[in-house]
């Protein structure tokens, strides 16, 4: 996928395009439905597919008091858009200058002159141009003048629910740690990616070594607690079942910032320092708890690993921690 950071970077001979415009925060299942529609339109027209998005949430400029935290970083958003099979993405710098641009100028300079759009896809609540004066109806009027059509995309609902798929719903679910439902809304597992860093090494001392991720990550971290999931080691290509902790370690109360730690089940001697890894969250086991003794902490972690094994379908290995009372699926 080609990444353009300015309309002027689009080659004059790029050809006609089908453009989907939006914040696309999280690139959730609703966004993916829009891109599939764009790809169908593009195949019919012999055009290229382009996502037009922004380098920040427009509310950070227009209404910073109402701007929510981003679900993903800009770089992660670009990676996720690439996974959708788009031909290109145009990342616009949303500043006061862009916010003040008239709606008609936005259309002519970006959509018509730079992207040569054949079709534009937008949601019902899409607004653009100074003061939000641009609406899907105005976009259709301008399309008639400039030889492009407008597809106003209907809301996407998660199967089995009556709720519209949205980035705000994902934020709500992550705030309470419901990673299973958040993953369904996203259309992919809740995950964070980073390079494994050195921590206090307390997990190793307790018999449950962990891979610690840095404080700044590429996606929003779910609520404090303990989770089951996977540790994907991009350096080696190996995927490990994992028990994952998110929080500040209240038992010892000596961690200043929230951190993500993943214990790779049945891999006690694993050395991941410096490795590029993704931690995927699939199930929430419990909230974060301060234990009253070292023994109760170890027993609690052991129980967490047992639950993670069961949820992930990992058979118990004799002699390993985290196997208490776990039936061996190979003998059932």
């Amino acid at each position: 996928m080609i990444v353009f950071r300015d309309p002027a970077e689009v080659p004059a001979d790029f050809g006609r395009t089908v453009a989907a415009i939006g914040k696309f925060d999280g690139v959730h299942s609703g966004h993916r439905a829009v891109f599939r529609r764009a790809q169908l339109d593009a195949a019919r027209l012999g055009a290229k597919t382009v996502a037009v998005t922004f380098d920040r949430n427009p509310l950070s400029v227009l209404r910073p008091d109402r701007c929510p935290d981003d679900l993903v970083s800009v770089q992660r958003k670009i990676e996720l858009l690439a996974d959708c099979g788009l031909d290109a993405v145009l990342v616009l710098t949303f500043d006061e200058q862009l916010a003040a641009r008239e709606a008609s100028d936005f259309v002519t300079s970006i959509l018509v002159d730079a992207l040569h759009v054949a079709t534009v896809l937008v949601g019902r609540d899409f607004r653009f141009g100074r003061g939000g004066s641009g609406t899907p109806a105005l976009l259709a009027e301008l399309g008639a003048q400039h030889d492009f059509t407008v597809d106003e995309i209907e809301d996407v609902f998660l199967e089995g629910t009556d709720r519209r798929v949205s980035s705000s719903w994902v934020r709500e679910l992550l705030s309470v740690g419901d990673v299973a439902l958040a993953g369904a809304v996203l259309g992919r597992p809740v995950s964070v990616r980073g390079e494994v860093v050195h921590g206090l090494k307390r997990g190793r001392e307790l018999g449950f070594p962990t891979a610690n991720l840095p404080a700044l990550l590429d996606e929003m971290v779910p609520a404090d607690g303990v989770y089951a999931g996977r540790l994907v080691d991009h350096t080696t290509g190996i995927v490990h079942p994992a028990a994952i902790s998110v929080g500040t370690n209240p038992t010892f109360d000596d961690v200043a910032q929230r951190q993500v730690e993943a214990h790779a089940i049945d891999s006690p001697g694993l050395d991941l320092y410096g490795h590029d890894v993704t931690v995927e969250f699939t199930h929430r086991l419990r909230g974060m708890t301060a234990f009253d003794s070292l023994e109760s902490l170890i027993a609690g972690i052991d129980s967490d690993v047992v639950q993670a094994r069961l949820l992930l379908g990992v058979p118990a290995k004799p002699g390993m921690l985290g196997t208490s009372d776990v039936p061996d699926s190979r003998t059932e």
Side-chain angles (χ1 to χ4, degrees), residues 143-171:
Q145 298 174 26
H146 295 285
D147 189 30
F148 67 82
T149 59
V150 176
D151 278 351
E152 192 173 336
I153 304 302
E154 297 290 332
D155 291 338
V156 174
F157 293 83
L158 184 65
E159 186 175 356
T161 76
D162 59 357
R163 184 159 182 180
R164 180 176 71 92
V165 170
S166 67
S167 300
S168 59
W169 189 12
V170 177
R171 289 189 195 90

Side-chain angles (χ1 to χ4, degrees), residues 175-291:
S175 71
V176 295
D178 191 345
V179 294
L181 186 52
V185 178
L186 286 169
R188 59 183 175 83
V190 173
S191 65
V192 292
R193 183 170 181 170
E195 181 178 304
V196 177
V197 299
H198 288 273
L200 297 175
K201 298 182 174 58
R202 185 166 287 126
R204 187 172 301 278
E205 295 170 0
L206 298 174
F208 298 91
T210 60
N212 291 25
L213 270 61
L216 295 178
L217 295 166
D218 61 354
E219 300 202 37
M220 181 176 287
V221 178
D224 289 3
V226 180
Y227 300 84
R230 289 178 288 271
L231 175 66
V232 183
D233 185 351
H234 300 289
T235 303
T236 64
I238 299 173
V239 179
H240 305 273
I244 307 156
S245 170
V246 177
T248 58
N249 201 338
T251 298
F252 296 95
D253 195 25
D254 57 359
V255 178
Q257 293 179 298
R258 297 177 74 219
Q259 63 181 19
V260 176
E261 301 179 73
H263 168 68
I265 296 173
D266 294 341
S267 301
L270 197 61
D271 183 358
L272 295 175
Y273 291 122
H275 286 212
D276 175 24
V277 304
T278 291
V279 174
E280 296 181 351
F281 302 83
T282 59
H283 306 81
R284 181 173 172 85
L285 303 182
R286 62 174 175 84
M288 188 55 66
T289 302
F291 292 90

